[in-house]
Amino acid sequence: MHEGIQTLASNYSVDETVARLQAMLQEKGIKLFALVDHSGEAAAVGLTMRPTKLLIFGSPKAGTPIMVAAPSAALDLPLKILVAETESGKTLLFWNDPEWLQERHYFPPELSANLAAAGLFAEAAAG
C-alpha cells in the first residue's frame, strides 16, 4: 500500500464495479459529482490505457464540517474511489485512508468518521 491509500481487489470488472458503486450511491442518497473515465479519455486522443475510472462523490453534511475545520481538506474532498484494471486483468479499488487525511489536514480526529464511506462503499462494491 502506498502511504495514505487503501486498496482492495474486486470480484467484478471495472465497469461492473463502477455500476455497483453508482447504484449504492444512488440508493444511499449520496451525490455523485463526477465519473471520470480516464481510459475513455485516453482512447479519445489515440492512447491506450487499461480500464480506469474515478468516482467523485460525497455528502455536504459529512464533508462541510471537515472543510470548515481545515480548509485545505477541500483539496482531497469530495471523496474519491478509483477503479482500475491491472495488467493481469484484476480490478482494484483505491481510496484515501481517512486517518491519513486527518493527519494531512489536521482536522479534529473525531471527524475522520465522516470519511469512512469510501471504504465502506469500496468493500461492498468489490463483493
Side-chain angles (χ1 to χ4, degrees), residues 52-70:
T52 305
K53 297 184 179 185
L54 178 71
L55 292 93
I56 303 171
F57 63 95
S59 162
K61 186 175 181 181
T64 301
I66 294 168
M67 292 182 284
V68 167

Side-chain angles (χ1 to χ4, degrees), residues 62 66 98-99 107-117 120:
I66 294 168
E99 287 76 31
F107 54 80
E110 61 273 11
L111 292 176
S112 292
N114 292 18
L115 305 176
L120 297 173

Side-chain angles (χ1 to χ4, degrees), residues 8-54:
L8 180 67
S10 177
N11 292 318
Y12 306 98
S13 69
V14 168
D15 285 338
E16 197 169 351
T17 302
V18 167
R20 291 170 60 87
L21 285 165
Q22 288 176 303
M24 283 183 246
L25 293 172
Q26 184 174 10
E27 180 183 306
K28 298 291 184 185
I30 306 293
K31 183 170 180 79
L32 177 62
F33 293 105
L35 174 59
V36 180
D37 182 355
H38 287 296
S39 50
E41 293 301 320
V45 296
L47 299 174
T48 302
M49 182 179 193
R50 298 196 77 67
T52 305
K53 297 184 179 185
L54 178 71

